[in-house]
Amino acid sequence: MRVIVPTVLAKDISKFEEDLRRVEGFARKVQMDIVDGKFIPFETVTPEVLLTVETPAEIEAHLMVEDPAEWVKRCVAAGITAVYGQVEKMPNVADFIAKAEEAGMRTGLAYELTTPLGGLEEWVNLVDGVLLMSVEVGAQGQAFDQKVLERIKKVRDLSPTVVIMIDGGLNEDNIKRCLRVGGEKIEFAVGSQILTASDPEDCYRRLEEIE
């Protein structure tokens, strides 16, 4: 069974609550995209929204922010259990990893589609996951870019055990393609396909069952 993680990118609390309700009752975990307006030119809701919005799902955060290490305390205080930080805005990778581990959170490094993976070999065995964008950062509903397939292979060659999270433009066909190069320890962050489906749970279940 595939690990499918519905992704919520919301600019206001009402949209955030609406999206969470659409996956409530079947999604075991949800990825919350957090954007501060510096990495890309808009802002989303912040971790603190979880202090007033209840959900039974485990929440992971994808930090598209200036210096993700500075957001770790806010995330753990809000009940977030895992953080993926964009390396492009990370002045000190070791600091981010150390702060997240000290907070007891699962830790991941996130890479834009065009960011070189050089240097990842230094960190790949110190983190729980590597998130690879398969679209340009910043908007849901974009088409999957097959360039990510070679990047999946590179990460898997560096580590047979690290979880690879693929984020963006996913459907049944390209999930199968990712699995062929990435193996079993791979997860899929799926946003608009689930959230805009007429039956979100049915969509989620079909993606889970992909072989």
Side-chain angles (χ1 to χ4, degrees):
M1 184 172 289
R2 303 299 155 212
V3 178
I4 305 298
V5 186
T7 303
V8 174
L9 187 155
K11 297 179 182 179
D12 59 70
I13 190 171
S14 61
K15 180 65 165 59
F16 184 75
E17 289 182 298
E18 177 187 342
D19 286 347
L20 280 183
R21 283 197 299 271
R22 288 187 66 76
V23 299
E24 194 170 287
F26 62 86
R28 293 180 295 279
K29 60 181 178 178
V30 171
Q31 179 179 285
M32 177 183 181
D33 285 345
I34 299 174
V35 185
D36 65 355
K38 298 175 182 177
F39 185 68
I40 44 181
F42 63 83
E43 296 181 43
T44 63
V45 293
T46 60
E48 289 76 17
V49 72
L50 292 168
L51 299 176
T52 57
V53 176
E54 292 188 6
T55 175
E58 177 184 343
I59 303 294
E60 300 182 345
H62 180 187
L63 298 173
M64 294 176 272
V65 297
E66 190 79 40
D67 197 355
E70 295 303 309
W71 287 70
V72 168
K73 285 186 178 180
R74 295 173 66 179
C75 288
V76 74
I80 291 169
T81 59
V83 283
Y84 285 91
Q86 286 290 152
V87 298
E88 297 83 5
K89 290 291 186 180
M90 200 176 287
N92 189 320
V93 175
D95 183 49
F96 171 74
I97 294 172
K99 285 184 176 177
E101 288 185 343
E102 183 180 351
M105 309 180 84
R106 296 194 309 282
T107 309
L109 300 178
Y111 288 80
E112 279 198 80
L113 186 61
T114 56
T115 299
L117 296 174
L120 177 58
E121 63 275 5
E122 182 179 355
W123 311 110
V124 70
N125 293 314
L126 300 177
V127 295
D128 299 289
V130 174
L131 185 153
L132 298 176
M133 295 300 303
S134 44
V135 297
E136 296 296 326
V137 169
Q140 292 182 324
Q142 299 181 68
F144 178 87
D145 192 318
Q146 65 180 0
K147 289 196 296 289
V148 77
L149 297 173
E150 182 60 30
R151 293 165 66 79
I152 294 170
K153 185 177 185 302
K154 287 181 179 178
V155 176
R156 184 54 70 221
D157 287 345
L158 289 174
S159 172
T161 57
V162 74
V163 171
I164 301 175
M165 172 77 80
I166 307 302
D167 188 344
L170 292 163
N171 58 34
E172 294 180 40
D173 178 63
N174 52 50
I175 284 176
K176 290 179 182 179
R177 296 166 72 191
C178 291
L179 288 167
R180 283 197 290 269
V181 296
E184 289 299 310
K185 291 187 71 66
I186 188 165
E187 301 183 0
F188 299 94
V190 183
S192 57
Q193 185 178 4
I194 292 173
L195 295 175
T196 63
S198 57
D199 186 337
E201 182 173 2
D202 178 68
C203 178
Y204 176 88
R205 299 297 182 198
R206 283 189 289 104
L207 296 178
E208 270 193 322
E209 296 301 324
I210 289 174
E211 296 295 337

